[in-house]
Amino acid sequence: MSGDDLGAVASLQDPVRRVVYDYVASRGREVGRNEAAEAVGVQRTLAAFHLDKLVEAGLLESGFKRLTDRSGPGSGRPAKVYRRAPGEWQVSVPARDYRTPARVLAEVVELLGADEQAEHAARRAGTRLAAPGEDLGEVLRRRGYEPYEEDGRLRLRNCPFRLLAEEHPLMVCSMNLALCQGLLAGLGDGVTTARLDPRPGECCVSFSAENP
Amino acid sequence: MTMHLAQLNVAHMRVPKDSPELADFVAALDPVNQLSDAAPGFVWRLKGGDGPQDTVEHDYGDHMLINFSVWESRDTLWDFVYRSAHLGVLQRRREWFLRMAEPYTVMWWIPEGHTPTLGEGMDRLELLKAHGPTPRAFTFKDFYDSSEAAWRPAAAEVRK
């Protein structure tokens, strides 16, 4: 854990700032100051203050973009927009480092060609992550997947294993799918199916009640 | 100068391409090729012929399947390989291809507009096998950015 991580996470302690952050993160696209202010119910200047603090802390990125279709003279200057920064912050007190052993073990699994066993283990782990009857969306939210609904499917905005998935995408995405399937089994949900449904910038799995 | 990313990938089929064991793979060729050709950042792909299921012909051994393409950036290639329907095909690779003990995929930067040859690509793969990842031949896991030093032959020599 670095001091920066602690600082970044601590900056979310302010309740208004937290709501502003959650709103931008939940959109999965660029958000303007007006939109953020209206969505969380605060004055535009206060929203702008928190948005800029979040950029300072490294949790959001900012840019400029025309929010209307008009362009050229008279269309006004581009508005400042915000979106979630791609990095990740992890705080553990006292310091613990689970990433390094995860990377080492992932490399070993790859060297051994033990992907299948990894998938089986992930499926078993998944069943233990959820209790029968729990709400699927709630379980996924708790695990950091950031679920949202689209066209009758439950899609996942965040990959909780991103660092590892960047290094070992095939293995980690397969494990993730198995984990999600195990999770459904743990919930006792025999109707919903999890399938591989990758999209740029999102998790590789989506859920639906239809047959795959 | 704008640089593009070339990627070569080789795979050893478990059985000849027309075997029933490979039918699902062969059936996936056309849809996956269409997906790649329409993907954001796609620049070029070495085609084996005009048929939808033609694969690249070569003299590098029987049962070897070659994929060779050029992309605008690391991210566009990454998104096609791991963040599209291509991922599902990749996950079934063990059904169709042998496990490879040595590197089987390599990438390197080329100037925009340059169309690489298959020989060039195989040379890069050999470079990767011989020296590990370098700016001249690297992988997603050990990636090098496109700087002039990365592709200029003179500068590359100095790095050795």
Side-chain angles (χ1 to χ4, degrees), chain A residues 107 110-115 159 165-170 173-175 177 196 198-204, chain B residues 40 74-75 78-94 99-101 104 140-141:
Chain A
E107 199 165 327
E110 199 134 283
L111 283 169
L112 293 175
D115 315 41
C159 166
E166 281 272 318
E167 287 181 14
H168 304 275
L170 283 177
C173 293
S174 304
M175 281 176 57
L177 176 62
L196 216 53
R199 254 191 201 181
E202 297 194 358
C203 173
C204 59
Chain B
R74 177 197 188 277
D75 288 352
W78 173 273
D79 282 345
F80 164 66
V81 175
Y82 297 117
R83 281 293 172 267
S84 75
H86 179 252
L87 179 67
V89 178
L90 261 186
Q91 284 200 316
R92 294 184 61 188
R93 69 203 184 286
R94 299 272 156 76
R99 268 186 67 79
M100 305 267 263
Y104 53 87
F140 271 132
K141 212 178 152 208

Side-chain angles (χ1 to χ4, degrees), chain B residues 28 44 65 110 116 118 130 154:
Chain B
W44 172 88
L65 199 85
I110 57 171
L118 185 53

Side-chain angles (χ1 to χ4, degrees), chain A residues 24-46:
Chain A
V24 176
S26 72
R27 297 293 95 182
R29 57 167 170 78
E30 287 153 329
V31 169
R33 287 171 162 176
N34 283 337
E35 183 191 341
E38 275 169 36
V40 307
V42 297
Q43 292 289 322
R44 185 178 184 278
T45 45
L46 184 62

Side-chain angles (χ1 to χ4, degrees), chain A residues 54-127:
Chain A
L54 288 162
V55 172
E56 241 172 74
L59 294 167
L60 298 183
E61 307 182 315
S62 65
F64 289 91
K65 191 181 175 183
R66 274 182 212 288
L67 295 178
T68 60
D69 291 335
R70 292 184 301 157
S71 61
S75 60
R77 66 189 177 99
K80 194 164 185 184
V81 291
Y82 303 82
R83 63 162 178 241
R84 174 154 55 180
E88 60 184 54
W89 287 263
Q90 192 168 287
V91 175
S92 127
V93 182
R96 303 277 191 249
D97 174 14
Y98 301 108
R99 288 175 183 169
T100 305
R103 293 163 107 151
V104 170
L105 292 175
E107 199 165 327
V108 172
V109 169
E110 199 134 283
L111 283 169
L112 293 175
D115 315 41
E116 252 178 63
Q117 283 93 324
E119 278 173 52
H120 291 318
R123 191 165 283 121
R124 287 194 298 272
T127 59

